[in-house]
C-alpha cells in the first residue's frame, strides 16, 4: 500500500511522464484522418489499425524511463537492499502506469472509436480490449526497458517489439469480429489469459534483470 | 550431482578439445550428404507438375528455414542451462549461435523471395509465414545488439539468455503461423505426424539436404563458439598453450 | 561481542580482471572499518557486496541480520522534481522522532517546501544523509560519505558516527578524507596478488 502511494506520488508529480503519452496518443489519433481523405469510408477501415499501432507506440514511449529514473538516482539500489525481491515494486510501478496512462488512453481510444464509427456498441466493445491490451503492452515494454536500462529505449523497443507482434494479429481478428458483429468474447478471454500469465511471470523476470543491473 | 556432471563435461577446455577432434568428420560428412542430395534433387528427379523446375530451390529454402528455427530452440535450451546451472560454455554457445541464426534466417527469406517470383508472381507478399520469418530475423539482430550493448560480459550473457527464453514464446507462433492465418504460403511439406505431402523422389533428397545443411551449420556454430571461447578465456593459461 | 559481519576469502573480478582476492575480515558491533585503496581498487564493489547488492566472484559473506543494512552510496536516491518534504516521506523518515532536530542541525528545516532540484549539491547530500541519521539498522555501509559536505556537516557526520559506535552499531566506510572516527583499516591495494 505504501509502495502504491509512493509510486503514484512520483508519477503524478511528473506530468511529462503521464500527461505526455496521453497527449501524444491524442495527437496521433487526430493526425491520422489528415492522411486519409476526410468523409471517406477508408477512415473507418483504417481507424482500428491506427488505434492499435498508436497504443503500441505510446505505451512504448510511456515506459521509457519507468526504471531509468529510479536507477539513476539510486532509489532502486535502496529498494534492492531493503527487499529480497523487487517484483512487488515492479508490479506496483506497472499498475500505477496503467492507472494513470493506460486507463485514460483506453477511454480516449474508445471515444475516438465512437466518433469515427458512430456506433456506441463497437466503442463499448473496444474498451475492455484496450484496457487489457494497454496493460499487456506496459508489462512487455517495461521488460524491454529493464533489459536495456542504461542503453536507451531504442534497444528496448527493438528487442521487445517482436514479442508483441503476435498480439497485434489477435487484435486484428478482434476488429474483424466486431465489424462482422460476431461475438469476440473468445478473444477477450484469450487476451485476459495472456495478461494473467504476463502479470504472474514478467515482474519476477524484470526484478531479476534489474538486480543484475545493480551489481 | 547433475550440476557437477554438467560442469565437468561443459568446461570450455574439454569442449574445445573434443570438438577439435570431431569437427573434420562432421564437416566432410555433412558436405558430402548435402552435395549428394543437391545432385540427386537437381538432376535426378523430374519436374514438379505445377511449379516446373523452380521448386528445386526447396533444397536451400527448406533446410535454411528449418535450421533458423531450430537454432533458436537450441539457444533457448542453452540459455536455460546457463541460467539454471551457471554453465559458462552455454552462454558462449548462445552468443555464437545468434549471428549464424540471423544468417540462416536471411538465407531463408531471400531464397523464399526468389522462389516467390515464378510461383506467386511476386517476390514479397505480406504473408504470415514471411512476416514471422522476418520477425525472427529481427529478433536475432535484436539479440546480437543487446549483447553488444554491454561491456560487462557477465551482464550481457545474463540478459541475452533471459531475452532468448522470453522470446522463445514466439517460436511456436512462427511455426503455426501458416495454419492460423489464411495465407499464400503453402503449409509445411513434411511433418512428423502425417504422411508427407510430396513425392518420395523429392522427399529423400530434401531430407538429405536438411541433414547435410544442418551439419554444415553445426560446423559453423562450432567454429564460432571456438572463437568465442578463445576470446573470452584469453587470460587463462590453457588458452595460451592452445594457441 | 557480537559479530555483525564475517567475510571469508572474498574475491571479485570484472571480465576476468581481478580487483581483489583473498580478502577476509570480521566486523564486530561497536567497531568501524575504514576501507582504503586507490581509484579502481574495488572499494565501491566491496561495499556493494557487503550491502548485498552484488555477489562476490568467490568467497562468502555472512551477516548476522541479513536485511538490516543502511547503505549510503554515491547516488542520493532523491527525486529532483519533488519537494524536500515529499522526499522525506519517500525516504520514510518523515515520521521519525528526531527528524526536526536533525533538519535544524543540518540547516534544512527552512527548505521543506523547496524543490530538491533547486538545492545545492551539498544540501542534497545532507538531505540524503538523513536516511543514515534516522536509521534503525545495525550495520552502516558508507561509500565516500564526505564528498561535497562542508566542514561543519562533516563534523556532524563524524560525531554521529562516533555516537553510533557507542550504540553498538557496526560501521564500514570508504573515504579519501580521514574521518575522526576510531577504526581499523583494510587496504585493497594490498589485496591483489
Amino acid at each position: 500500500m505504501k509502495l502504491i502511494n509512493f509510486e503514484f506520488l512520483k508519477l503524478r508529480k511528473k506530468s511529462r511522464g503521464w500527461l505526455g503519452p496521453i497527449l501524444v496518443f491524442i495527437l496521433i489519433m487526430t493526425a491520422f484522418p489528415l492522411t486519409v481523405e476526410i468523409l471517406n469510408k477508408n477512415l473507418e477501415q483504417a481507424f482500428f489499425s491506427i488505434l492499435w499501432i498508436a497504443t503500441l507506440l505510446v505505451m512504448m514511449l510511456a515506459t521509457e524511463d519507468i526504471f531509468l529514473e529510479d536507477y539513476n538516482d539510486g532509489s532502486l539500489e535502496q529498494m534492492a537492499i531493503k527487499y529480497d525481491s523487487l517484483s512487488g515494486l515492479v508490479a506496483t510501478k506497472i499498475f500505477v502506469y496503467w492507472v494513470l496512462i493506460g486507463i485514460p488512453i483506453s477511454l480516449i481510444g474508445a471515444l475516438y472509436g465512437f466518433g469515427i464509427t458512430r456506433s456506441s456498441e463497437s466503442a463499448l466493445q473496444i474498451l475492455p480490449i484496450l484496457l487489457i491490451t494497454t496493460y499487456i503492452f506496459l508489462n512487455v515494454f517495461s521488460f524491454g526497458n529493464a533489459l536495456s536500462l542504461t542503453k536507451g529505449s531504442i534497444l528496448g523497443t527493438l528487442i521487445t517489439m517482436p514479442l508483441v507482434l503476435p498480439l497485434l494479429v489477435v487484435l486484428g481478428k478482434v476488429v474483424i469480429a466486431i465489424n462482422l458483429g460476431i461475438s469476440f468474447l473468445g478473444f477477450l478471454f484469450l487476451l485476459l489469459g495472456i495478461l494473467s500469465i504476463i502479470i504472474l511471470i514478467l515482474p519476477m523476470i524484470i526484478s531479476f534483470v534489474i538486480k543484475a543491473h545493480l551489481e | 550431482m547433475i550440476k557437477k556432471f554438467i560442469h565437468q563435461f561443459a568446461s570450455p577446455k574439454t569442449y574445445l578439445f573434443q570438438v577439435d577432434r570431431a569437427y573434420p568428420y562432421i564437416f566432410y560428412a555433412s558436405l558430402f550428404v548435402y552435395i549428394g542430395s543437391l545432385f540427386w534433387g537437381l538432376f535426378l528427379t523430374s519436374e514438379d507438375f505445377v511449379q516446373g523446375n523452380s521448386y528445386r530451390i526447396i533444397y536451400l529454402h527448406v533446410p535454411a528455414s528449418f535450421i533458423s528455427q531450430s537454432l533458436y530452440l537450441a539457444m533457448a535450451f542453452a540459455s536455460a542451462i546457463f541460467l539454471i546451472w551457471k554453465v559458462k560454455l552455454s552462454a558462449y554457445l548462445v552468443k555464437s549461435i545468434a549471428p549464424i541464426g540471423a544468417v540462416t534466417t536471411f538465407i531463408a527469406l531471400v531464397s523464399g523471395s526468389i522462389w516467390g517470383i515464378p510461383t506467386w508472381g511476386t517476390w514479397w507478399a505480406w504473408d504470415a509465414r514471411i512476416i514471422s520469418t522476418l520477425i525472427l530475423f529481427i529478433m536475432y539482430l535484436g539479440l546480437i545488439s543487446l549483447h553488444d550493448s554491454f561491456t560487462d560480459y557477465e551482464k550481457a550473457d545474463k540478459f541475452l539468455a533471459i531475452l532468448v527464453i522470453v522470446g522463445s514464446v514466439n517460436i511456436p507462433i512462427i511455426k503455426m503461423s501458416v495454419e492460423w492465418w489464411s495465407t499464400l504460403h503453402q503449409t509445411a511439406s513434411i511433418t512428423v505426424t502425417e504422411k508427407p505431402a510430396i513425392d518420395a523422389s523429392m522427399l529423400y533428397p530434401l531430407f538429405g539436404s536438411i541433414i547435410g545443411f544442418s551439419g554444415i551449420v553445426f560446423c559453423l556454430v562450432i567454429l564460432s563458439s571456438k572463437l568465442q571461447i578463445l576470446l573470452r578465456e584469453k587470460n587463462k593459461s590453457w588458452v595460451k598453450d592452445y594457441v | 561481542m557480537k559479530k555483525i559481519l564475517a567475510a571469508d576469502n572474498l574475491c571479485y573480478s570484472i571480465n576476468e580482471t581481478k580487483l581483489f582476492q583473498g580478502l577476509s575480515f570480521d566486523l564486530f558491533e561497536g567497531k568501524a572499518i575504514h576501507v582504503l585503496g586507490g581509484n579502481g581498487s574495488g572499494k565501491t564493489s566491496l561495499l556493494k557486496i557487503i550491502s548485498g547488492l552484488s555477489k562476490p566472484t568467490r568467497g562468502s559473506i555472512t551477516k548476522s541480520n541479513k536485511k538490516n543494512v543502511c547503505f549510503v552510496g554515491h547516488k542520493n536516491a532523491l527525486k529532483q522534481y519533488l519537494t524536500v518534504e515529499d522526499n522525506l516521506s519517500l525516504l520514510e523518515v518523515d515520521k521519525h522522532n528526531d527528524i526536526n532536530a536533525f533538519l535544524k542541525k543540518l540547516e534544512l528545516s527552512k527548505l521543506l517546501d523547496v524543490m530538491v532540484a533547486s538545492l545545492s549539491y551539498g544540501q542534497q547530500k545532507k538531505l540524503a544523509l538523513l536516511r543514515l541519521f534516522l536509521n534503525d539498522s545495525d550495520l552502516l555501509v558508507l561509500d565516500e560519505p564526505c564528498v561535497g559536505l562542508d566542514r561543519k556537516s562533516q563534523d556532524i557526520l563524524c560525531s554521529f558516527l562516533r555516537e553510533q559506535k557507542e550504540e553498538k552499531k557496526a560501521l564500514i566506510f570508504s573515504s579519501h578524507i580521514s574521518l575522526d572516527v576510531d577504526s581499523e583499516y583494510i587496504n585493497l591495494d594490498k589485496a591483489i596478488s
Side-chain angles (χ1 to χ4, degrees), chain A residues 36-47 116:
Chain A
V36 185
E37 249 183 276
I38 300 184
L39 299 179
N40 189 329
K41 191 87 178 90
N42 288 341
L43 196 63
E44 215 171 296
Q45 276 174 3
F47 167 72
I116 286 176

Side-chain angles (χ1 to χ4, degrees), chain C residues 176-192:
Chain C
H176 284 294
I177 313 165
S178 66
L179 291 184
D180 191 12
V181 180
D182 281 334
S183 51
E184 297 158 37
Y185 293 92
I186 290 180
N187 195 340
L188 288 183
D189 291 333
K190 287 173 191 156
I192 308 174

Side-chain angles (χ1 to χ4, degrees), chain A residues 9-65:
Chain A
L9 174 70
K10 272 151 58 178
L11 187 56
R12 220 185 51 227
K13 290 278 170 93
K14 192 171 57 172
S15 60
R16 82 185 142 83
W18 62 274
L19 190 60
I22 297 176
L23 291 177
V24 170
F25 180 76
I26 294 177
L27 271 175
I28 299 178
M29 295 308 291
T30 313
F32 104 87
L34 301 177
T35 65
V36 185
E37 249 183 276
I38 300 184
L39 299 179
N40 189 329
K41 191 87 178 90
N42 288 341
L43 196 63
E44 215 171 296
Q45 276 174 3
F47 167 72
F48 284 108
S49 333
I50 306 291
L51 179 66
W52 302 138
I53 301 295
T55 318
L56 179 90
L57 285 175
V58 170
M59 291 299 129
M60 216 170 72
L61 291 176
T63 50
E64 188 178 359
D65 66 345

Side-chain angles (χ1 to χ4, degrees), chain A residues 90-108:
Chain A
V90 170
T92 312
K93 265 185 179 300
I94 297 174
F95 174 73
V96 167
Y97 270 65
W98 181 65
V99 171
L100 285 182
I101 304 169
I103 294 183
I105 281 182
S106 308
L107 291 172
I108 296 169

